[in-house]
Amino acid sequence: MTNLEDAVDRWRASIEIPADVHAPEAARNIVAALLPAWDLGDLISDAQLIASELVTNAYRHAQGTAGFELLLVQRDAGVRIALADGSSIKPVIAELSHERPSGRGMMLVSALCTEWGSESRDGGKQVWADLDRT
């Protein structure tokens, strides 16, 4: 499922997170609070890492944005984690470099999730990742 509107019969939460240095921690806390209520407690650790990486990337690359919209959608097999920001720059998986200690966020997201992608949205984009139970 790549279209969020296809998930109307499931739990969903949309939370505005201020674009500041505390945003990744806020995203992790939101995930930790919601997933057990949706009977997805076994996915918390991976979901927190995915949400944190998506928010960190947005904070670094969508400067000038006042906040981000974190969207969590319960799915049959797990959860979709999506983040909307004000940048139209699409995320990529960067090649590893010993000279650059950062840039591994989307590689981690890709390794943890079943599928991920991005869609243009309101002058910016929404990056999403589906995390399924194995």
Side-chain angles (χ1 to χ4, degrees), residues 1 3-15 34 38 69-74 80 126:
M1 167 191 346
N3 188 343
L4 290 175
E5 285 72 35
D6 292 340
V8 294
D9 294 329
R10 294 173 178 84
W11 286 99
R12 50 190 302 129
S14 175
I15 301 100
L34 283 176
W38 294 352
E69 178 190 10
L70 177 65
L71 179 65
L72 300 171
V73 180
Q74 182 187 35
R80 172 169 283 192
Q126 183 179 65

mmCIF file of all heavy atoms in Angstrom, residues 1 3-15 34 38 69-74 80 126:
data_model
loop_
_atom_site.group_PDB
_atom_site.id
_atom_site.type_symbol
_atom_site.label_atom_id
_atom_site.label_comp_id
_atom_site.label_asym_id
_atom_site.label_seq_id
_atom_site.Cartn_x
_atom_site.Cartn_y
_atom_site.Cartn_z
ATOM 1 N N MET A 1 0.851 -1.158 0.000
ATOM 2 C CA MET A 1 0.000 0.000 0.000
ATOM 3 C C MET A 1 0.907 1.234 0.000
ATOM 4 O O MET A 1 1.690 1.421 0.896
ATOM 5 C CB MET A 1 -0.876 -0.029 1.246
ATOM 6 C CG MET A 1 -1.565 1.247 1.496
ATOM 7 S SD MET A 1 -2.387 1.453 3.103
ATOM 8 C CE MET A 1 -2.493 -0.100 3.824
ATOM 9 N N ASN A 3 -0.505 4.440 -0.953
ATOM 10 C CA ASN A 3 -1.370 5.593 -0.808
ATOM 11 C C ASN A 3 -1.995 5.582 0.587
ATOM 12 O O ASN A 3 -2.714 4.676 0.952
ATOM 13 C CB ASN A 3 -2.463 5.552 -1.884
ATOM 14 C CG ASN A 3 -3.274 6.809 -1.921
ATOM 15 O OD1 ASN A 3 -3.260 7.601 -0.988
ATOM 16 N ND2 ASN A 3 -3.970 6.997 -3.007
ATOM 17 N N LEU A 4 -1.716 6.620 1.382
ATOM 18 C CA LEU A 4 -2.211 6.658 2.755
ATOM 19 C C LEU A 4 -3.724 6.686 2.826
ATOM 20 O O LEU A 4 -4.314 6.218 3.785
ATOM 21 C CB LEU A 4 -1.639 7.868 3.483
ATOM 22 C CG LEU A 4 -0.159 7.778 3.781
ATOM 23 C CD1 LEU A 4 0.325 9.074 4.390
ATOM 24 C CD2 LEU A 4 0.145 6.634 4.701
ATOM 25 N N GLU A 5 -4.392 7.213 1.832
ATOM 26 C CA GLU A 5 -5.842 7.264 1.858
ATOM 27 C C GLU A 5 -6.472 5.868 1.787
ATOM 28 O O GLU A 5 -7.638 5.693 2.101
ATOM 29 C CB GLU A 5 -6.375 8.133 0.722
ATOM 30 C CG GLU A 5 -6.200 9.624 0.960
ATOM 31 C CD GLU A 5 -4.760 10.099 0.856
ATOM 32 O OE1 GLU A 5 -4.002 9.551 0.025
ATOM 33 O OE2 GLU A 5 -4.380 10.996 1.613
ATOM 34 N N ASP A 6 -5.709 4.862 1.378
ATOM 35 C CA ASP A 6 -6.218 3.491 1.334
ATOM 36 C C ASP A 6 -6.368 2.898 2.729
ATOM 37 O O ASP A 6 -6.924 1.827 2.890
ATOM 38 C CB ASP A 6 -5.279 2.591 0.525
ATOM 39 C CG ASP A 6 -5.282 2.938 -0.946
ATOM 40 O OD1 ASP A 6 -6.243 3.589 -1.409
ATOM 41 O OD2 ASP A 6 -4.325 2.562 -1.644
ATOM 42 N N ALA A 7 -5.895 3.575 3.748
ATOM 43 C CA ALA A 7 -5.878 3.024 5.101
ATOM 44 C C ALA A 7 -6.944 3.664 5.989
ATOM 45 O O ALA A 7 -6.757 3.809 7.173
ATOM 46 C CB ALA A 7 -4.497 3.234 5.713
ATOM 47 N N VAL A 8 -8.092 4.002 5.448
ATOM 48 C CA VAL A 8 -9.100 4.732 6.214
ATOM 49 C C VAL A 8 -9.717 3.914 7.344
ATOM 50 O O VAL A 8 -10.255 4.489 8.275
ATOM 51 C CB VAL A 8 -10.216 5.288 5.295
ATOM 52 C CG1 VAL A 8 -9.662 6.340 4.382
ATOM 53 C CG2 VAL A 8 -10.887 4.178 4.513
ATOM 54 N N ASP A 9 -9.671 2.604 7.295
ATOM 55 C CA ASP A 9 -10.291 1.781 8.325
ATOM 56 C C ASP A 9 -9.353 1.460 9.480
ATOM 57 O O ASP A 9 -9.690 0.687 10.357
ATOM 58 C CB ASP A 9 -10.789 0.468 7.716
ATOM 59 C CG ASP A 9 -11.916 0.684 6.743
ATOM 60 O OD1 ASP A 9 -12.688 1.639 6.922
ATOM 61 O OD2 ASP A 9 -12.019 -0.110 5.797
ATOM 62 N N ARG A 10 -8.178 2.048 9.503
ATOM 63 C CA ARG A 10 -7.184 1.732 10.515
ATOM 64 C C ARG A 10 -6.938 2.948 11.401
ATOM 65 O O ARG A 10 -7.284 4.070 11.073
ATOM 66 C CB ARG A 10 -5.896 1.309 9.841
ATOM 67 C CG ARG A 10 -6.078 -0.008 9.089
ATOM 68 C CD ARG A 10 -4.841 -0.338 8.283
ATOM 69 N NE ARG A 10 -4.994 -1.590 7.606
ATOM 70 C CZ ARG A 10 -5.602 -1.753 6.447
ATOM 71 N NH1 ARG A 10 -6.139 -0.739 5.823
ATOM 72 N NH2 ARG A 10 -5.687 -2.936 5.888
ATOM 73 N N TRP A 11 -6.270 2.702 12.535
ATOM 74 C CA TRP A 11 -5.860 3.789 13.403
ATOM 75 C C TRP A 11 -4.827 4.638 12.697
ATOM 76 O O TRP A 11 -3.954 4.135 12.004
ATOM 77 C CB TRP A 11 -5.254 3.230 14.687
ATOM 78 C CG TRP A 11 -6.251 2.653 15.622
ATOM 79 C CD1 TRP A 11 -6.566 1.334 15.773
ATOM 80 C CD2 TRP A 11 -7.082 3.370 16.529
ATOM 81 N NE1 TRP A 11 -7.534 1.188 16.718
ATOM 82 C CE2 TRP A 11 -7.871 2.432 17.208
ATOM 83 C CE3 TRP A 11 -7.226 4.716 16.832
ATOM 84 C CZ2 TRP A 11 -8.783 2.791 18.176
ATOM 85 C CZ3 TRP A 11 -8.140 5.083 17.801
ATOM 86 C CH2 TRP A 11 -8.900 4.119 18.455
ATOM 87 N N ARG A 12 -4.908 5.948 12.908
ATOM 88 C CA ARG A 12 -3.915 6.860 12.358
ATOM 89 C C ARG A 12 -3.774 8.038 13.297
ATOM 90 O O ARG A 12 -4.729 8.424 13.960
ATOM 91 C CB ARG A 12 -4.267 7.302 10.957
ATOM 92 C CG ARG A 12 -5.663 7.820 10.785
ATOM 93 C CD ARG A 12 -6.116 8.049 9.342
ATOM 94 N NE ARG A 12 -5.299 8.955 8.600
ATOM 95 C CZ ARG A 12 -4.801 8.677 7.393
ATOM 96 N NH1 ARG A 12 -5.067 7.545 6.800
ATOM 97 N NH2 ARG A 12 -4.048 9.546 6.772
ATOM 98 N N ALA A 13 -2.572 8.564 13.371
ATOM 99 C CA ALA A 13 -2.303 9.719 14.213
ATOM 100 C C ALA A 13 -1.420 10.677 13.435
ATOM 101 O O ALA A 13 -0.451 10.262 12.805
ATOM 102 C CB ALA A 13 -1.604 9.293 15.498
ATOM 103 N N SER A 14 -1.775 11.938 13.465
ATOM 104 C CA SER A 14 -1.007 12.989 12.814
ATOM 105 C C SER A 14 -0.602 13.996 13.891
ATOM 106 O O SER A 14 -1.462 14.537 14.585
ATOM 107 C CB SER A 14 -1.854 13.663 11.732
ATOM 108 O OG SER A 14 -1.161 14.756 11.188
ATOM 109 N N ILE A 15 0.696 14.217 14.027
ATOM 110 C CA ILE A 15 1.215 15.075 15.081
ATOM 111 C C ILE A 15 2.168 16.090 14.476
ATOM 112 O O ILE A 15 3.070 15.728 13.720
ATOM 113 C CB ILE A 15 1.965 14.248 16.164
ATOM 114 C CG1 ILE A 15 1.038 13.209 16.783
ATOM 115 C CG2 ILE A 15 2.536 15.149 17.242
ATOM 116 C CD1 ILE A 15 1.210 11.842 16.242
ATOM 117 N N LEU A 34 2.251 5.401 21.148
ATOM 118 C CA LEU A 34 1.137 4.939 20.307
ATOM 119 C C LEU A 34 1.170 3.453 19.963
ATOM 120 O O LEU A 34 0.126 2.798 19.966
ATOM 121 C CB LEU A 34 1.086 5.741 19.005
ATOM 122 C CG LEU A 34 0.515 7.140 19.107
ATOM 123 C CD1 LEU A 34 0.619 7.851 17.769
ATOM 124 C CD2 LEU A 34 -0.920 7.088 19.561
ATOM 125 N N TRP A 38 -1.859 0.210 19.824
ATOM 126 C CA TRP A 38 -2.304 -0.393 18.561
ATOM 127 C C TRP A 38 -1.899 -1.868 18.482
ATOM 128 O O TRP A 38 -1.952 -2.480 17.425
ATOM 129 C CB TRP A 38 -1.720 0.357 17.377
ATOM 130 C CG TRP A 38 -2.216 1.760 17.222
ATOM 131 C CD1 TRP A 38 -3.222 2.369 17.907
ATOM 132 C CD2 TRP A 38 -1.714 2.728 16.311
ATOM 133 N NE1 TRP A 38 -3.385 3.649 17.475
ATOM 134 C CE2 TRP A 38 -2.472 3.906 16.490
ATOM 135 C CE3 TRP A 38 -0.701 2.719 15.360
ATOM 136 C CZ2 TRP A 38 -2.246 5.058 15.755
ATOM 137 C CZ3 TRP A 38 -0.470 3.873 14.632
ATOM 138 C CH2 TRP A 38 -1.246 5.030 14.830
ATOM 139 N N GLU A 69 5.130 17.265 10.022
ATOM 140 C CA GLU A 69 3.961 16.461 10.354
ATOM 141 C C GLU A 69 4.376 15.001 10.383
ATOM 142 O O GLU A 69 4.765 14.431 9.365
ATOM 143 C CB GLU A 69 2.847 16.645 9.330
ATOM 144 C CG GLU A 69 1.635 15.783 9.642
ATOM 145 C CD GLU A 69 0.612 15.751 8.517
ATOM 146 O OE1 GLU A 69 0.913 16.251 7.409
ATOM 147 O OE2 GLU A 69 -0.464 15.197 8.746
ATOM 148 N N LEU A 70 4.323 14.403 11.562
ATOM 149 C CA LEU A 70 4.589 12.979 11.720
ATOM 150 C C LEU A 70 3.257 12.260 11.642
ATOM 151 O O LEU A 70 2.319 12.596 12.357
ATOM 152 C CB LEU A 70 5.253 12.697 13.073
ATOM 153 C CG LEU A 70 5.523 11.231 13.399
ATOM 154 C CD1 LEU A 70 6.538 10.641 12.434
ATOM 155 C CD2 LEU A 70 6.007 11.095 14.845
ATOM 156 N N LEU A 71 3.173 11.297 10.742
ATOM 157 C CA LEU A 71 1.944 10.538 10.549
ATOM 158 C C LEU A 71 2.242 9.061 10.796
ATOM 159 O O LEU A 71 3.172 8.509 10.201
ATOM 160 C CB LEU A 71 1.411 10.739 9.134
ATOM 161 C CG LEU A 71 0.138 10.001 8.759
ATOM 162 C CD1 LEU A 71 -1.034 10.497 9.593
ATOM 163 C CD2 LEU A 71 -0.158 10.187 7.278
ATOM 164 N N LEU A 72 1.458 8.446 11.663
ATOM 165 C CA LEU A 72 1.556 7.012 11.924
ATOM 166 C C LEU A 72 0.231 6.388 11.523
ATOM 167 O O LEU A 72 -0.828 6.875 11.923
ATOM 168 C CB LEU A 72 1.840 6.739 13.396
ATOM 169 C CG LEU A 72 3.129 7.348 13.946
ATOM 170 C CD1 LEU A 72 3.189 7.188 15.450
ATOM 171 C CD2 LEU A 72 4.330 6.728 13.296
ATOM 172 N N VAL A 73 0.309 5.320 10.724
ATOM 173 C CA VAL A 73 -0.895 4.646 10.251
ATOM 174 C C VAL A 73 -0.749 3.158 10.522
ATOM 175 O O VAL A 73 0.210 2.521 10.066
ATOM 176 C CB VAL A 73 -1.119 4.876 8.731
ATOM 177 C CG1 VAL A 73 -2.376 4.152 8.264
ATOM 178 C CG2 VAL A 73 -1.183 6.354 8.408
ATOM 179 N N GLN A 74 -1.697 2.605 11.272
ATOM 180 C CA GLN A 74 -1.703 1.163 11.523
ATOM 181 C C GLN A 74 -2.024 0.456 10.213
ATOM 182 O O GLN A 74 -2.912 0.870 9.467
ATOM 183 C CB GLN A 74 -2.744 0.824 12.578
ATOM 184 C CG GLN A 74 -2.777 -0.641 12.940
ATOM 185 C CD GLN A 74 -3.930 -0.967 13.873
ATOM 186 O OE1 GLN A 74 -4.993 -0.390 13.771
ATOM 187 N NE2 GLN A 74 -3.690 -1.894 14.777
ATOM 188 N N ARG A 80 2.836 2.263 9.157
ATOM 189 C CA ARG A 80 3.484 3.182 8.224
ATOM 190 C C ARG A 80 3.878 4.411 9.022
ATOM 191 O O ARG A 80 3.080 4.957 9.782
ATOM 192 C CB ARG A 80 2.563 3.596 7.090
ATOM 193 C CG ARG A 80 3.197 4.713 6.246
ATOM 194 C CD ARG A 80 2.455 4.962 4.978
ATOM 195 N NE ARG A 80 2.817 3.877 4.063
ATOM 196 C CZ ARG A 80 2.542 3.888 2.770
ATOM 197 N NH1 ARG A 80 1.882 4.882 2.243
ATOM 198 N NH2 ARG A 80 2.895 2.878 2.005
ATOM 199 N N GLN A 126 6.543 14.222 1.424
ATOM 200 C CA GLN A 126 6.277 13.313 2.533
ATOM 201 C C GLN A 126 7.093 12.057 2.273
ATOM 202 O O GLN A 126 6.999 11.458 1.202
ATOM 203 C CB GLN A 126 4.797 12.965 2.619
ATOM 204 C CG GLN A 126 4.480 12.073 3.795
ATOM 205 C CD GLN A 126 3.009 11.769 3.886
ATOM 206 O OE1 GLN A 126 2.471 11.123 2.991
ATOM 207 N NE2 GLN A 126 2.368 12.218 4.938
#
